[in-house]
């Protein structure tokens, strides 16, 4: 399984890159000092030394910024001694101004370092929360080979409203993939509620409609807000939030000993079956409404069965994949792209699909995208009694 994309912290310098960047302020100091010493008496380039600590503060820490400022002050003193005197009024003011700018630049470098450290801690917490909410799928589940990828649209995000999960039952494996409406904490909250309900009931419920009922009950269950005494705003806001909360989902039941897959589609993009050079959409005749809309739409749960034999691969995905656009605003042609990769195992398939999708979208997706590939392997022989 490909790990979830980890958001990178604010750029941390590599040793080689750090040396190259640090060369810039020192080069500024050297060039300005030499040129100023050799310039005519009425030409003063000392003020340009201010650029050295200012530039350093944009990428280095407070200590390095202070050090560069100190070197710039020494260089300005050398220029003063070489040209007139360090007590010359013009050079004195230049040195004082350089000291003040260096102090200010050092202070802002300290603030940036502090903010970066705070962001790193928050990302560390988010990564820990992610590992609890969106747990990695197993590589093997009975006769199934599974791989998954999560691509967050936001550069700083660990995860969003897309979700997936797997659970083993007595006779097979159940899989869930979904997409909570919206973005941010609300979407993550809905995703966590659905995942929690699935993990609790997927192994226990015998029939998929019963499982869907439990998932339906989970959506919006954490959205209730207390109304403040004397006002109705809290209740109105809670009602609005609850009405907007829904999750598109696809729930699959794959028996170990039967070459089929049973699925319920709750308003989600249909899975794709890769078989013998073909890509076959598993469209359901009667799709159920998204989870959370049972009060608006009549809850009709239809279980449909499709062939899923040894060597077949199922691709589950969220709409962030098919809604990715290129520079011409054309949607990503998922089915066409998959045709060239039929026959790949799940990790290879998702690796190629991920690279192609990011290249197509120019490295930035408009929405989160989750991908799960499932291959049925030959069943292991049952042990003899």
């Amino acid at each position: 399984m490909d790990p979830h994309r980890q958001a990178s912290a604010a750029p941390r310098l590599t040793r080689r890159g750090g040396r190259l960047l640090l060369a810039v302020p020192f080069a500024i100091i050297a060039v300005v000092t030499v040129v100023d010493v050799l310039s005519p008496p009425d030409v003063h380039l000392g003020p340009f030394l201010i650029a050295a600590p200012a530039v350093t503060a944009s990428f280095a820490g407070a200590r390095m910024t202070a050090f560069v400022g100190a070197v710039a002050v020494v260089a300005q003193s050398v220029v003063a001694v070489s040209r007139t005197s360090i007590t010359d009024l013009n050079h004195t003011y230049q040195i004082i101004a350089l000291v003040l700018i260096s102090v200010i630049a050092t202070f802002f470098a300290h603030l940036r370092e502090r903010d970066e450290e705070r962001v790193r801690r928050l990302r560390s917490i988010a990564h820990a929360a992610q590992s609890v909410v969106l747990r990695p799928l197993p590589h093997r589940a009975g006769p199934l080979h599974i791989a998954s990828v999560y691509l967050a649209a936001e550069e700083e995000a660990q995860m969003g409203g897309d979700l997936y999960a797997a659970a083993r039952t007595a006779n097979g494996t159940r899989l869930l993939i979904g997409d909570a409406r919206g973005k941010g904490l609300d979407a993550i909250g809905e995703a966590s509620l659905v995942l929690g309900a699935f993990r609790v009931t997927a192994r226990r419920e015998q029939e998929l409609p019963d499982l869907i009922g439990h998932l339906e009950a989970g959506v919006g269950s954490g959205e209730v807000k207390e109304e403040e005494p004397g006002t109705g705003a809290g209740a109105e806001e809670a009602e609005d939030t609850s009405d907007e909360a829904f999750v598109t989902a696809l729930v699959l039941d794959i028996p170990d000993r039967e070459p089929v897959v049973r699925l319920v589609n709750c308003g989600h993009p249909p899975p794709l079956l890769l078989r013998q050079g073909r890509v076959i959409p598993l469209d359901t005749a009667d799709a159920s409404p998204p989870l959370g809309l049972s009060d608006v739409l009549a809850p009709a749960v239809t279980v449909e069965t499709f062939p899923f034999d040894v060597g077949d691969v199922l691709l589950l995905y969220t709409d962030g994949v098919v809604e990715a656009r290129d520079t011409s605003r054309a949607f990503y042609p998922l089915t066409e792209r998959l045709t060239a990769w039929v026959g790949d195992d799940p990790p290879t398939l998702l690796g190629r699909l991920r690279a192609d999708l990011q290249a197509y979208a120019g490295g930035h997706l408009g929405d989160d995208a989750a991908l799960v590939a499932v291959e049925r392997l030959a069943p292991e022989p049952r042990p003899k009694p």
Side-chain angles (χ1 to χ4, degrees):
M1 167 186 160
D2 192 279
H4 305 318
R5 188 188 70 174
Q6 299 181 359
S8 59
R12 304 303 298 169
L13 303 175
T14 61
R15 291 183 179 179
R16 182 177 179 182
R19 294 193 189 101
L20 290 176
L21 286 176
L22 283 175
V24 174
F26 288 111
I28 292 174
I29 294 173
V31 171
V32 171
T33 301
V34 171
V35 174
D36 199 8
V37 169
L38 299 178
S39 295
D42 57 341
V43 177
H44 300 280
L45 300 179
F48 286 103
L49 289 173
I50 292 175
V55 168
T56 306
S58 66
F59 64 85
R63 292 183 179 180
M64 180 55 66
T65 302
F67 176 71
V68 171
V71 172
V73 170
V74 171
Q76 181 62 61
S77 301
V78 170
V79 171
V81 172
S82 301
R83 301 194 61 173
T84 55
S85 169
I86 198 170
T87 59
D88 179 77
L89 189 60
N90 180 48
H91 290 296
T92 299
Y93 283 145
Q94 290 184 31
I95 292 173
I96 293 174
L98 185 54
V99 170
L100 291 176
I101 294 297
S102 298
V103 170
I104 294 173
T106 300
F107 175 70
F108 280 106
H110 166 71
L111 293 181
R112 182 178 55 78
E113 276 190 316
R114 187 185 63 182
D115 290 341
E116 287 179 359
E117 181 60 30
R118 182 184 298 114
V119 170
R120 281 194 293 273
R121 289 198 300 267
L122 291 175
R123 290 189 184 121
S124 177
I125 295 171
H127 184 65
Q130 174 196 22
S131 64
V132 174
V133 175
L134 194 63
R135 300 172 187 170
L137 297 184
H139 295 286
R140 287 291 302 269
L144 304 181
H145 185 194
I146 304 174
S148 60
V149 167
Y150 192 99
L151 300 174
E154 297 297 332
E155 183 69 20
E156 305 300 331
Q158 290 288 329
M159 63 170 288
D162 290 15
L163 57 103
Y164 49 68
R168 286 289 292 167
T169 66
N171 301 313
T173 302
R174 283 179 172 170
L175 293 166
L176 165 70
I177 188 168
D179 185 1
R181 181 188 184 278
K183 297 181 179 180
L185 293 178
D186 290 339
I188 295 175
E190 291 299 334
S192 64
L193 291 172
V194 174
L195 287 169
F198 179 82
R199 289 166 184 153
V200 169
T201 59
R203 297 177 178 86
R204 186 175 62 197
E205 294 299 338
Q206 297 297 318
E207 302 297 334
L208 284 183
D210 296 329
L211 175 57
I212 296 298
H214 284 283
L215 300 182
E216 172 76 31
V219 177
S221 61
E223 294 293 336
V224 179
K225 297 180 181 179
E226 294 184 2
E227 178 182 354
E228 295 184 4
T231 66
E236 181 179 355
E237 184 178 355
E239 182 180 354
D240 292 342
T241 305
S242 178
D243 289 342
E244 294 178 353
F246 68 86
V247 179
T248 66
L250 191 69
V251 182
L252 301 90
D253 190 1
I254 306 177
D256 289 345
R257 298 291 172 176
E258 297 179 64
V260 298
V261 55
R262 302 183 182 94
L263 63 88
V264 175
N265 191 333
C266 300
H268 198 77
L272 300 176
L273 178 66
L274 283 64
R275 169 188 290 163
Q276 298 177 355
R278 295 183 298 160
V279 180
I280 307 169
L282 300 187
D283 292 309
T284 54
D286 298 311
S288 302
L291 303 174
L293 294 183
S294 60
D295 294 338
V296 180
L297 304 173
V301 178
T302 303
V303 181
E304 300 203 26
T305 303
F306 297 92
F308 184 49
D309 213 335
V310 175
D312 292 346
V313 175
L314 272 174
L315 179 68
L316 318 178
Y317 56 95
T318 57
D319 57 10
V321 177
V322 292
E323 292 179 358
R325 296 173 183 260
D326 62 5
T327 53
S328 66
R329 307 300 295 167
F331 290 113
Y332 182 71
L334 177 61
T335 303
E336 296 177 14
R337 292 292 213 267
L338 288 175
T339 304
W341 305 321
V342 174
D344 289 345
D345 60 20
T348 303
L349 173 67
L350 292 193
R352 292 179 175 179
L353 179 54
R354 174 180 185 170
D356 186 65
L357 177 64
Q358 291 180 319
Y360 185 89
H364 178 75
L365 300 178
D367 192 6
D368 292 350
L371 292 157
V372 178
V374 184
E375 179 184 17
R376 183 185 284 278
L377 306 176
E380 297 179 358
R382 291 183 176 180
K384 296 181 179 181

